[in-house]
Amino acid sequence: MKAAVLYSTVPAAGQAPGKPAYADAKPLILQELDQPQPRAGELGVAITYSSLCHSDLSVVDGSRVRPLPMALGHEAVGRVVSVGDGVADVSVGDHVVLVFVPSCGHCRACRAGRPALCHRAAEVNGSGDLLHGPALLRTPAGERINHHLGVSAFADYAVVARESVVVIDDDVPDTVAAMFGCAVLTGMGAVLNTAGVSPGQSVAVFGIGAVGLSAVMAARLAGAAGVIAIDPNPGKHPLALDAGATAVGTPADAPRLVAEAAGDGVDVAVEAVGSAGVIATCLDLVTRGGAVVSVGLPHPSAELAVPALQFAGAGKRLLGSYMGDAVPRRDIPAYLGYWREGRLPVELLHTDTRPLAEINEGLDALASGQVVRRLFRA
């Protein structure tokens, strides 16, 4: 099998002045690995398309610490090619979306109906293992290669837990399905599951990458009266309008746009940037009783300093949303249903498609804001 492996991190711009472009540094090495077979409870999947996300970039630049070496990639679509013992509800040939949080079904979070917060999944995702056993990936010399979030999608093949896939209909184009396992699930879920946006409410989305744009689509779908999209990159603003935003602007425009659309503040603000400063700004721009949903992943060292009185004094809420508080087996088919109805234009997220050999160039394109979602063919 072929996979893109990270052996050492490359600091992001600003952390290392004058650092080479990712295309030159080549942190991801495309190499041949021994192809493992699925164990009990696992599946072998031929990856057709994978998708590059900021969460991948944060592993490459070291802001999300993961055990190395690691085969990266966590958002993909493919076909099942082998089935391990004990798996009765998935067959060879099934069309599947890969999901980066498998759920054990037994821990406190799973029993509470919140599989995105599965304790066992958090443990194995952090260690580079799989839900049903230790890491399987090996170089021909026998060196262990860790799995990324139970998926390792920048490859032509993956062994994953049964709980890491959702079977979908055969007629969904792979270029559409590839974006449902992270971007759509996270952005949509932040609005529909975490915030529970209702008709007539006002929503502001800060950061209009793939997750933020998905949140814009969800707010429109939920019947929000005003949907404000904020991003410093004006090149993304037309996409936000196409996705359903009613107003769009830069961070400097945000107070004015919020005041025009919602008076003293929006009902819900979604932070999809990964910035403690933006979280603080969102808290300033929600109305009394409003909610801020934090979806982005700030650097682990980032700290949030905000006036404490606005919580009890103004009833404001700060809500964390991991993977959109999703129940993937429920939500992915439902969101695909919205797409079929023409109410969820996820094709807007797809900037272009490149061969997997260009994965390092893709890191540069994502870091510089040139792309929203670049798909890769193995």
Side-chain angles (χ1 to χ4, degrees):
M1 61 172 287
K2 178 172 57 179
V5 180
L6 178 70
Y7 284 90
S8 60
T9 59
V10 173
Q15 297 175 339
K19 78 171 184 68
Y22 290 116
D24 297 323
K26 293 182 171 55
L28 290 174
I29 299 172
L30 201 60
Q31 66 180 109
E32 291 293 330
L33 302 178
D34 292 341
Q35 182 161 313
Q37 293 303 306
R39 298 168 294 204
E42 296 176 340
L43 304 168
V45 178
I47 304 295
T48 51
Y49 289 91
S50 55
S51 177
L52 180 60
C53 172
H54 271 95
S55 295
D56 303 308
L57 187 58
S58 67
V59 176
V60 173
D61 69 24
S63 58
R64 293 289 287 175
V65 178
R66 297 291 180 186
L68 303 181
M70 175 172 278
L72 286 197
H74 66 281
E75 186 178 58
V77 62
R79 296 275 177 173
V80 176
V81 294
S82 53
V83 178
D85 292 342
V87 179
D89 60 343
V90 181
S91 303
V92 170
D94 279 351
H95 195 201
V96 293
V97 169
L98 278 66
V99 177
F100 67 93
V101 180
S103 55
C104 72
H106 308 295
C107 72
R108 181 176 180 178
C110 288
R111 292 197 309 270
R114 303 188 73 185
L117 298 178
C118 175
H119 292 227
R120 174 63 179 156
E123 177 185 344
V124 297
N125 279 359
S127 65
D129 294 310
L130 295 176
L131 189 66
H132 297 293
L136 290 171
L137 299 176
R138 297 289 186 276
T139 68
E143 180 182 10
R144 168 178 160 138
I145 303 295
N146 292 294
H147 298 260
H148 185 211
L149 301 178
V151 177
S152 292
F154 297 149
D156 56 9
Y157 171 85
V159 169
V160 300
R162 161 63 186 93
E163 296 84 352
S164 290
V165 308
V166 173
V167 178
I168 63 172
D169 292 336
D170 285 337
D171 63 340
V172 180
D174 281 0
T175 52
V176 169
M179 299 178 288
F180 273 77
C182 176
V184 175
L185 203 61
T186 300
M188 293 278 293
V191 170
L192 302 180
N193 298 331
T194 309
V197 170
S198 57
Q201 288 191 311
S202 53
V203 178
V205 178
F206 285 74
I208 47 177
V211 170
L213 287 169
S214 296
V216 168
M217 294 179 201
R220 193 67 172 183
L221 190 70
V227 183
I228 303 164
I230 301 296
D231 197 284
N233 183 352
K236 294 181 178 180
H237 293 177
L239 275 177
L241 293 172
D242 289 343
T246 56
V248 64
T250 66
D253 300 321
R256 174 181 57 81
L257 292 175
V258 167
E260 291 173 355
D264 68 344
V266 292
D267 295 296
V268 174
V270 177
E271 182 277 326
V273 178
S275 165
V278 175
I279 294 173
T281 296
C282 287
L283 280 165
D284 285 340
L285 294 177
V286 294
T287 189
R288 294 176 62 83
V292 173
V293 181
S294 175
V295 179
L297 294 173
H299 191 278
S301 65
E303 296 184 351
L304 178 64
V306 297
L309 185 59
Q310 59 190 321
F311 298 110
K316 296 183 181 183
R317 294 165 291 148
L318 176 57
L319 307 173
S321 182
Y322 190 60
M323 201 173 75
D325 279 320
V327 180
R329 292 192 194 188
R330 175 198 71 195
D331 293 345
I332 289 178
Y335 299 166
L336 281 169
Y338 297 140
W339 168 78
R340 288 183 185 281
E341 295 167 2
R343 302 166 66 197
L344 189 64
V346 297
E347 292 90 346
L348 293 173
L349 309 180
H350 179 198
T351 304
D352 57 21
T353 301
R354 301 292 177 85
L356 188 57
E358 296 181 16
I359 186 67
N360 288 303
E361 290 84 352
L363 296 173
D364 288 315
L366 183 63
S368 63
Q370 297 174 39
V371 299
V372 175
R373 269 299 190 263
R374 172 166 286 176
L375 300 186
F376 291 93
R377 299 183 301 269

